[in-house]
Amino acid sequence: MFSTLTPIMQCFFSLSFHSMAFRWSLGNHENFALQIADATNFYITEKNRNDIKNGSILRLTTSPYQTAVGLHERIQSSSMDAKLEALKDLANASRDITFAQEFINLDGISLLTQMVESGTERYQKLQKIMKPCFGDLLSFTLTAFVELMDHGIVSWDTFSVAFIKKIASYVNKSAMDTAVLQRSLAILESMVLNSQDLYHKVAQEITIGQLIPHLQGTDQDIQTYTIAVINALFLKAPEEKRQVRLHCAHTNVIRSPTPINDEMAHQLYVLQVLTFNLLEDRMMTKMDPQDQAQRDIIFELRRIAFDMEMEPNNSGSIEKRKSMYTRDYKKLGFINHVNPAVDFTQIPPGMLALDNMLYFARHHQDAYIRIVLENSSREDKHECPFGRSSIELTKMLCEILKVGELPSENCHDFHPMFFTHDRSFEEFFCICIQLLNKTWKEMRATSEDFNKVMQVVREQIMRALTLKPNSLDQFKSRLQNLSYTEILKIRQSERMNQEDFQSRPILELREKIQPEIMELIKQQRLNRLCEGTCFRKISSRRRQDKFWYCRLSPNHKVLHYGDLEESPQGEVPHDSLQDKLPVADIKAVITGKDCPHMKEKGALKQNKEVLELAFSVLYESDEYLNFIAPDKHEYCVWTDGLNALLGKEMTSDYTKSDMDTLLSMEMKLRLLDLENIQIPEAPPPIPKEPSNYDFVYDCN
């Protein structure tokens, strides 16, 4: 034990041990260990001893092994009260990996699973008269299990079907203790995500339909865990089994008066991404121009539009029918009039475009017929090609919604309107294809203007989505206020705000002002570092994040930092941050994949978004202070500020943006009196000197 401690700690331990040995005749010192006397109660080991903060209070207690042995025996007690207290202590102690390893070595996981599988049989008969106590027993048992498994020491593949059935039964019960339900959902999520084999076993016991009722309650934590399990099942399921009713989440979660927290927003975002990713297969499937069944779908588009139920085997010559089809397919706006199937060989959007067109024709038949007939009867070259437009629009919508991309770790950006309909993507397309036709008419476009129209439509859609409409009808209403005329006004206004004068005097003024603006940005960055930021320690379980805080001293000489139990409300005082790093000791700032904490094996699965937010401070001899910024803005603020402290250039995107904004404002302020006055290319002549300088005021 002594060999694992620093000299001061050894001395402390030695004094404490001998003092206790003298008073109570304690036995071998191997039965004791040091523990941090705070809410964590973590044991001090060789691995974590360097993390002990100055001024930390240490506690002499029984060793992890002795504690594990004691709890292993106590949780098997025949006394209900003793068992409950033991399980409560076990749930608390299991957060420490040193204790967890010792308890697991005693086959503690198996003991807990046996207790769950048997339903603590000896007490199950007493549930009716001791229900609260039984609920607490089960709750602490599952809590201890979750904490132990969170350390990644034991593989999830080792659990029996009986254990899975029992956990699933707790989720399937209509009335279950909230704590038990929450932990059962967490266990199911981890099982599904960590093992494909366990996914199949879990999927046999519970379906997404059985999880939906848990979204109908008022407990947002239960709703969050439920959506997390739905996402896990969704992610691991084969393509043919991926089904989920999004509108249930909208009705019971999004429209709830309770504000949506970050974790719930993230789970809804993940659910949205996984749902849209179901479209990827059709999006990347080419149409076979020789497949008659697929060609019949296109024929149905033609039949609905022109009300001609003519089949290929009808009377009439083949040449006559081909000529009629070619004419109609041209009216429908396909590029290939003879065989429109060729138009759907481009991927993306592949067959997804045809799916959208058919949905529009069947479910919004009046609007479909109106658009097709309206454009097919025009002879002024201003007809909007429905076929070509639908294909390009589908491709655009897939790009906007990022169909096929995996969900990111830190994103919370979901759109409530997509949770209001089971066929939300198809309905989204139907609204946008009508918008495209309307914008085409407003622009009086011809085929040569096709790309320009698509750019305007994209801008209209993006601006409407930015407003986060709660329903598809609200989205449609927002688009009504974003006509082509309104888009032109917005563009003109933005151009005026970004106007860049190119005359030589203006350019000289810009060069003169630029250093002042850069110094202002530098001061802002350093002031932000002095305020400090709370950083998240990312773990395998998002809902139990750890935090730490870092801030720069007011004299810009020292970085103060330290761990926190929870995210702070406001600034954290310097004196509560135990660790210090002199700025003079900093050698370099490293970003992205070059950071040490991004090179570790399996570190955050090398998540792209996390890589973009990671940076490290190198100091002394290969020592690092590692950061993962909460968002892109904080990343830029800190990398800029640290580089400024080192006398290096600030190169972030936010610095460039701030420079453009502040420089533009300053230029407009200085040129305010010159409005509508032409600026000459050559400077005016210097006037004669005045007869006296009595008007000069020396401000020094």
Side-chain angles (χ1 to χ4, degrees):
M1 179 67 189
F2 287 117
S3 62
T4 64
L5 305 174
T6 62
I8 294 177
M9 290 166 59
Q10 289 178 15
C11 178
F12 174 86
F13 185 91
S14 178
L15 289 171
S16 301
F17 173 72
H18 287 300
S19 174
M20 296 175 78
F22 177 77
R23 288 187 180 184
W24 297 297
S25 301
L26 296 177
N28 198 315
H29 69 268
E30 292 180 355
N31 294 333
F32 300 92
L34 286 176
Q35 206 175 43
I36 296 179
D38 60 13
T40 63
N41 288 330
F42 284 172
Y43 283 101
I44 299 170
T45 65
E46 184 69 32
K47 290 183 179 179
N48 65 19
R49 66 179 188 175
N50 290 327
D51 296 333
I52 301 174
K53 314 301 181 187
N54 291 332
S56 295
I57 299 175
L58 307 181
R59 179 193 298 121
L60 184 65
T61 186
T62 54
S63 68
Y65 173 74
Q66 292 295 330
T67 305
V69 170
L71 284 173
H72 194 274
E73 294 175 356
R74 288 169 57 202
I75 63 175
Q76 300 178 73
S77 170
S78 58
S79 166
M80 180 74 81
D81 291 336
K83 185 188 230 30
L84 181 60
E85 284 302 313
L87 286 169
K88 189 183 298 184
D89 292 342
L90 177 62
N92 183 56
S94 296
R95 293 180 299 166
D96 180 77
I97 190 171
T98 310
F99 167 84
Q101 183 69 69
E102 297 292 351
F103 188 79
I104 290 170
N105 290 343
L106 295 172
D107 218 13
I109 292 283
S110 297
L111 178 59
L112 292 178
T113 55
Q114 288 169 13
M115 292 169 63
V116 173
E117 287 172 18
S118 64
T120 52
E121 267 177 24
R122 26 194 335 196
Y123 305 106
Q124 208 161 8
K125 297 175 183 177
L126 303 175
Q127 279 190 61
K128 290 184 179 179
I129 59 174
M130 305 184 69
K131 191 171 182 180
C133 186
F134 178 78
D136 289 341
L137 275 172
L138 187 55
S139 171
F140 287 122
T141 302
L142 295 179
T143 302
F145 175 82
V146 170
E147 293 290 352
L148 291 168
M149 290 302 298
D150 188 43
H151 297 298
I153 300 171
V154 178
S155 170
W156 283 95
D157 286 309
T158 59
F159 298 106
S160 66
V161 174
F163 179 72
I164 297 171
K165 285 179 178 289
K166 185 60 70 172
I167 296 297
S169 72
Y170 298 143
V171 174
N172 288 332
K173 286 182 180 177
S174 56
M176 177 52 68
D177 181 83
T178 301
V180 173
L181 177 58
Q182 187 183 85
R183 284 150 184 77
S184 299
L185 289 167
I187 292 170
L188 290 179
E189 180 196 7
S190 296
M191 283 181 171
V192 173
L193 290 177
N194 285 283
S195 170
Q196 189 66 33
D197 183 51
L198 280 183
Y199 156 73
H200 293 294
K201 294 177 181 177
V202 171
Q204 290 174 357
E205 302 300 326
I206 193 165
T207 63
I208 290 176
Q210 291 170 308
L211 292 168
I212 295 299
H214 295 308
L215 296 177
Q216 297 169 352
T218 57
D219 190 318
Q220 193 167 117
D221 286 336
I222 295 297
Q223 292 175 329
T224 302
Y225 277 89
T226 301
I227 294 180
V229 176
I230 291 173
N231 287 338
L233 289 169
F234 205 3
L235 189 62
K236 292 288 185 175
E239 293 289 340
E240 64 275 9
K241 291 187 178 181
R242 291 186 176 181
Q243 296 177 352
V244 66
R245 296 184 298 183
L246 288 181
H247 67 273
C248 291
H250 178 268
T251 303
N252 300 294
V253 178
I254 298 174
R255 293 178 62 182
S256 169
T258 306
I260 293 177
N261 59 37
D262 285 347
E263 180 57 30
M264 174 64 81
H266 173 75
Q267 293 298 343
L268 289 171
Y269 153 77
V270 172
L271 182 58
Q272 174 185 289
V273 171
L274 294 178
T275 305
F276 285 138
N277 282 355
L278 295 179
L279 305 170
E280 184 180 13
D281 183 57
R282 294 292 284 174
M283 181 182 76
M284 301 306 292
T285 300
K286 293 182 179 181
M287 189 173 189
D288 182 0
Q290 306 306 318
D291 189 326
Q292 188 58 46
Q294 294 180 347
R295 293 172 67 178
D296 286 345
I297 298 175
I298 302 176
F299 186 84
E300 184 177 353
L301 290 173
R302 173 195 163 279
R303 181 190 61 77
I304 294 173
F306 303 111
D307 198 25
M308 294 181 182
E309 300 195 22
M310 182 181 294
E311 301 297 333
N313 58 358
N314 282 353
S315 59
S317 66
I318 296 176
E319 289 76 12
K320 185 177 180 180
R321 291 202 303 272
K322 283 186 176 179
S323 174
M324 185 182 297
Y325 295 163
T326 299
R327 181 198 65 195
D328 290 345
Y329 289 144
K330 182 177 181 181
K331 290 180 179 179
L332 278 168
F334 290 110
I335 296 175
N336 192 313
H337 308 149
V338 178
N339 185 5
V342 176
D343 288 15
F344 299 98
T345 57
Q346 174 193 356
I347 54 171
M351 292 293 290
L352 184 60
L354 183 58
D355 295 342
N356 283 339
M357 295 167 70
L358 190 61
Y359 181 90
F360 182 46
R362 287 174 175 174
H363 294 82
H364 300 271
Q365 194 170 110
D366 291 343
Y368 167 71
I369 293 173
R370 186 182 70 252
I371 287 176
V372 173
L373 295 183
E374 184 180 276
N375 289 286
S376 64
S377 61
R378 301 187 69 163
E379 296 181 356
D380 55 2
K381 296 184 180 181
H382 288 285
E383 64 275 5
C384 177
F386 173 74
R388 182 186 176 191
S389 298
S390 297
I391 293 170
E392 290 301 319
L393 178 63
T394 301
K395 181 180 178 182
M396 179 199 294
L397 297 183
C398 289
E399 291 172 356
I400 290 173
L401 299 177
K402 300 179 180 178
V403 174
E405 294 187 17
L406 290 175
S408 66
E409 177 70 19
N410 299 310
C411 188
H412 310 95
D413 186 23
F414 72 95
H415 295 281
M417 72 178 194
F418 291 124
F419 292 83
T420 60
H421 201 286
D422 280 339
R423 303 290 295 273
S424 58
F425 183 79
E426 290 86 344
E427 289 292 327
F428 185 44
F429 168 84
C430 294
I431 293 172
C432 293
I433 192 64
Q434 294 177 74
L435 167 71
L436 192 154
N437 188 66
K438 174 174 172 285
T439 302
W440 185 283
K441 289 189 291 185
E442 290 173 350
M443 295 178 65
R444 292 193 54 78
T446 63
S447 58
E448 288 80 9
D449 302 316
F450 186 86
N451 291 334
K452 292 180 181 178
V453 175
M454 294 305 293
Q455 289 173 6
V456 173
V457 170
R458 186 187 192 99
E459 187 173 346
Q460 290 170 314
I461 294 171
M462 292 298 291
R463 289 185 183 278
L465 285 177
T466 302
L467 300 172
K468 290 286 189 293
N470 288 318
S471 66
L472 290 163
D473 287 338
Q474 196 174 98
F475 172 71
K476 191 174 182 179
S477 176
R478 298 276 167 81
L479 289 175
Q480 295 295 326
N481 299 324
L482 287 170
S483 64
Y484 175 58
T485 303
E486 185 62 27
I487 291 294
L488 287 179
K489 290 180 181 177
I490 293 171
R491 286 180 173 180
Q492 184 178 7
S493 175
E494 290 177 349
R495 268 198 305 270
M496 289 178 66
N497 291 334
Q498 297 172 357
E499 193 171 12
D500 187 15
F501 304 106
Q502 296 300 320
S503 63
R504 188 168 62 84
I506 299 298
L507 293 176
E508 289 178 357
L509 180 60
R510 285 175 63 89
E511 290 178 5
K512 181 179 179 181
I513 297 173
Q514 200 159 338
E516 301 174 16
I517 301 297
M518 185 59 74
E519 183 62 28
L520 183 64
I521 295 173
K522 175 182 174 181
Q523 290 303 318
Q524 187 274 338
R525 298 292 191 265
L526 294 177
N527 289 340
R528 275 289 293 107
L529 264 61
C530 290
E531 293 173 9
T533 300
C534 178
F535 296 94
R536 183 163 61 95
K537 290 184 176 180
I538 295 184
S539 62
S540 58
R541 287 167 63 200
R542 292 176 47 85
R543 288 174 291 280
Q544 294 195 7
D545 293 339
K546 306 292 175 59
F547 302 92
W548 68 289
Y549 200 88
C550 186
R551 63 182 301 181
L552 181 65
S553 62
N555 62 3
H556 301 171
K557 299 292 185 182
V558 179
L559 284 177
H560 297 262
Y561 62 96
D563 293 338
L564 301 176
E565 287 302 313
E566 57 185 16
S567 182
Q569 302 297 322
E571 295 182 17
V572 176
H574 292 91
D575 53 10
S576 65
L577 302 173
Q578 304 91 340
D579 296 297
K580 298 178 181 180
L581 172 60
V583 172
D585 292 347
I586 298 177
K587 294 182 179 180
V589 178
I590 302 167
T591 60
K593 62 183 179 180
D594 295 327
C595 298
H597 56 315
M598 293 295 105
K599 291 181 178 179
E600 296 171 5
K601 183 179 179 181
L604 306 174
K605 297 181 180 178
Q606 293 298 302
N607 184 286
K608 179 183 176 183
E609 284 72 20
V610 174
L611 280 173
E612 292 176 349
L613 298 175
F615 61 98
S616 300
V617 172
L618 171 64
Y619 64 97
E620 292 182 356
S621 56
D622 296 330
E623 292 289 332
Y624 293 90
L625 186 60
N626 297 319
F627 299 76
I628 296 177
D631 51 49
K632 189 67 177 178
H633 180 265
E634 289 296 321
Y635 171 84
C636 292
V637 166
W638 275 85
T639 52
D640 282 343
L642 291 170
N643 280 321
L645 287 173
L646 299 179
K648 296 182 179 180
E649 187 178 354
M650 299 184 294
T651 58
S652 76
D653 294 338
Y654 278 85
T655 293
K656 295 174 184 176
S657 174
D658 289 347
M659 172 61 75
D660 291 340
T661 301
L662 294 173
L663 194 56
S664 175
M665 290 173 59
E666 184 66 19
M667 291 290 293
K668 288 179 179 179
L669 286 171
R670 297 203 182 192
L671 298 173
L672 198 59
D673 294 334
L674 300 179
E675 190 172 350
N676 297 324
I677 297 177
Q678 186 175 0
I679 300 174
E681 288 293 330
I686 299 174
K688 294 180 180 180
E689 290 190 15
S691 57
N692 62 68
Y693 291 90
D694 294 341
F695 57 86
V696 175
Y697 174 74
D698 187 358
C699 59
N700 295 322

